[in-house]
Each structure stands twice: as C-alpha cells, then as structure tokens.
Amino acid sequence: MRRLIARLRGDAGMNTAEYAVGTLAAVAFAGILLKVLTSGNVQSALTAVIDRALK
C-alpha cells in the first residue's frame, strides 16, 4: 500500500511536461520571429544594412 501511495504522489511525468511546454514556447517564439523578419519594413531595413556593409 505504501508503494502505491508513493507512486501516485511522484512527479516522474513532470519532466516530460516541462520539455513539452519549453518546446512549444520555442516554436511560438520562432514563428513570431519569422513573421517579424519577413515583414516588409524589416526586410527593407535589413537589405539597406547589408547594402551599406557591402559598399
């Protein structure tokens, strides 16, 4: 009976849940970053910076 109670109270599954939340947050951040970097204003600013650096 004590083993059953100890098993039910354990948090062995928390590591997997934490990795899942971390992965989800990283994917969301990457999506937002992609959206920002592919916007017209940011693309033109990056192109201007690269053009100035190559001249």
Side-chain angles (χ1 to χ4, degrees):
M1 186 67 165
R2 287 183 185 179
R3 276 194 259 168
L4 178 61
I5 292 172
R7 266 183 123 175
L8 292 175
R9 289 187 183 174
D11 62 337
M14 290 301 291
N15 290 333
T16 303
E18 290 168 358
Y19 285 126
V21 170
T23 302
L24 183 63
V27 169
F29 180 73
I32 291 170
L33 188 61
L34 179 67
K35 188 69 174 172
V36 168
L37 290 178
T38 57
S39 70
N41 293 337
V42 174
Q43 245 179 355
S44 62
L46 288 174
T47 303
V49 167
I50 291 170
D51 284 343
R52 269 186 264 151
L54 294 177
K55 287 184 181 183

